[in-house]
Amino acid sequence: MQEVKVIFEDEYLLVADKPHGLVVHPSPMARNATGSLLEEVQELIGKKAYPIHRLDRPASGLVLFAKSSSVARELNVSFREREVYKKYLAITRGFAGSGQVNRPLNDENKGNRQPSFTTYKEIFRTEQPFAIGPYQNSRYSLIEAFPHTGRFHQIRRHMAHIGHPIIGDVKHGDRHHNRYFREILNINFLLLRGIELQFTHPITKNSLRIYADLNEVFKRTSHMLNLS
């Protein structure tokens, strides 16, 4: 088991900071996974927990859990009604700028395409002397991404669709840049991190705003690329 940091906890909820490479819960799609965030959280609280949303296995960041089925039902309604605000950080290829992607996506292995909407905002940009392909320099952006729907690999697929794939995305990304980061820069991670959740507490009705710090991977990469 990897060490999991608890960011927020009360009688009803828990928010954990999922490390890179750890699945949220066991599934047939992750047969070779060792342990899960769900198992780790259940061991911490000593009873059953209910993950409210997903976070891709290679990504890191905030994941919300309920401590009872009744609280889980309330939170699932909030997510379904798009009343939960989620913010991610990502490092992408190219100068991404700011904008939105409104492109239907199929969910996992299902054929039906569902409405999918993501907005994004460039925070910093950099050009580095990395000779990749025919170019002598390479451009990158640090962006904030806000998924307004919850489709499978949504941010990753949307950013790839507009020509700014996330670095380290082996499924939807740019293999040449991924290889350079892995072999030359020694960064072999998907550079996508969930850093903020905002929602109304289902029991107390208080507004909650929960943050995660940059982890060591993001700190090291941002420093290396001068993305600050």
Side-chain angles (χ1 to χ4, degrees), residues 103 105-106 152-161 172:
R103 181 173 185 259
L105 297 171
N106 60 304
F152 183 65
H153 291 185
Q154 178 174 313
I155 297 173
R156 296 163 61 182
R157 293 159 78 184
H158 275 173
M159 295 311 297
H161 173 69
H172 310 288

Side-chain angles (χ1 to χ4, degrees), residues 107-125:
D107 202 0
E108 299 187 47
N109 294 321
K110 301 174 184 176
N112 54 319
R113 293 165 67 83
Q114 299 291 329
S116 306
F117 183 49
T118 304
T119 56
Y120 61 94
K121 178 182 178 182
E122 183 185 281
I123 305 302
F124 295 106
R125 59 173 53 182

Side-chain angles (χ1 to χ4, degrees), residues 64-223:
L64 173 62
F65 289 84
K67 293 184 177 181
S68 70
S69 58
S70 59
V71 171
R73 282 192 295 271
E74 293 284 338
L75 288 170
N76 284 328
V77 170
S78 295
F79 270 81
R80 190 164 57 246
E81 298 297 323
R82 303 182 187 176
E83 297 170 348
V84 178
Y85 171 94
K86 296 182 287 182
K87 181 164 76 174
Y88 293 77
L89 282 183
I91 296 176
T92 69
R93 186 194 68 189
F95 292 164
S98 300
Q100 59 186 37
V101 185
N102 190 353
R103 181 173 185 259
L105 297 171
N106 60 304
D107 202 0
E108 299 187 47
N109 294 321
K110 301 174 184 176
N112 54 319
R113 293 165 67 83
Q114 299 291 329
S116 306
F117 183 49
T118 304
T119 56
Y120 61 94
K121 178 182 178 182
E122 183 185 281
I123 305 302
F124 295 106
R125 59 173 53 182
T126 185
E127 185 167 339
Q128 298 294 324
F130 303 159
I132 301 174
Y135 306 105
Q136 292 305 306
N137 294 320
S138 298
R139 294 175 171 181
Y140 303 100
S141 299
L142 176 65
I143 68 164
E144 294 176 340
F146 310 90
H148 302 279
T149 49
R151 310 303 173 206
F152 183 65
H153 291 185
Q154 178 174 313
I155 297 173
R156 296 163 61 182
R157 293 159 78 184
H158 275 173
M159 295 311 297
H161 173 69
I162 62 171
H164 298 292
I166 298 172
I167 300 301
D169 189 344
V170 298
K171 187 173 180 64
H172 310 288
D174 184 308
R175 69 181 187 277
H176 303 293
H177 286 263
N178 290 345
R179 184 184 303 116
Y180 190 93
F181 272 70
R182 181 177 64 251
E183 296 179 359
I184 306 301
L185 303 182
N186 195 30
I187 297 171
N188 189 23
F189 296 93
L190 174 67
L191 295 174
L192 176 66
R193 178 163 174 77
I195 62 165
E196 185 177 342
L197 287 173
Q198 292 184 44
F199 59 96
T200 299
H201 195 292
I203 304 302
T204 68
K205 304 306 179 184
N206 292 330
S207 295
L208 295 179
R209 192 173 186 179
I210 301 168
Y211 298 94
D213 295 331
L214 290 181
N215 59 8
E216 289 306 313
V217 172
F218 257 88
K219 288 178 182 177
R220 179 160 60 96
T221 307
S222 296
H223 178 73

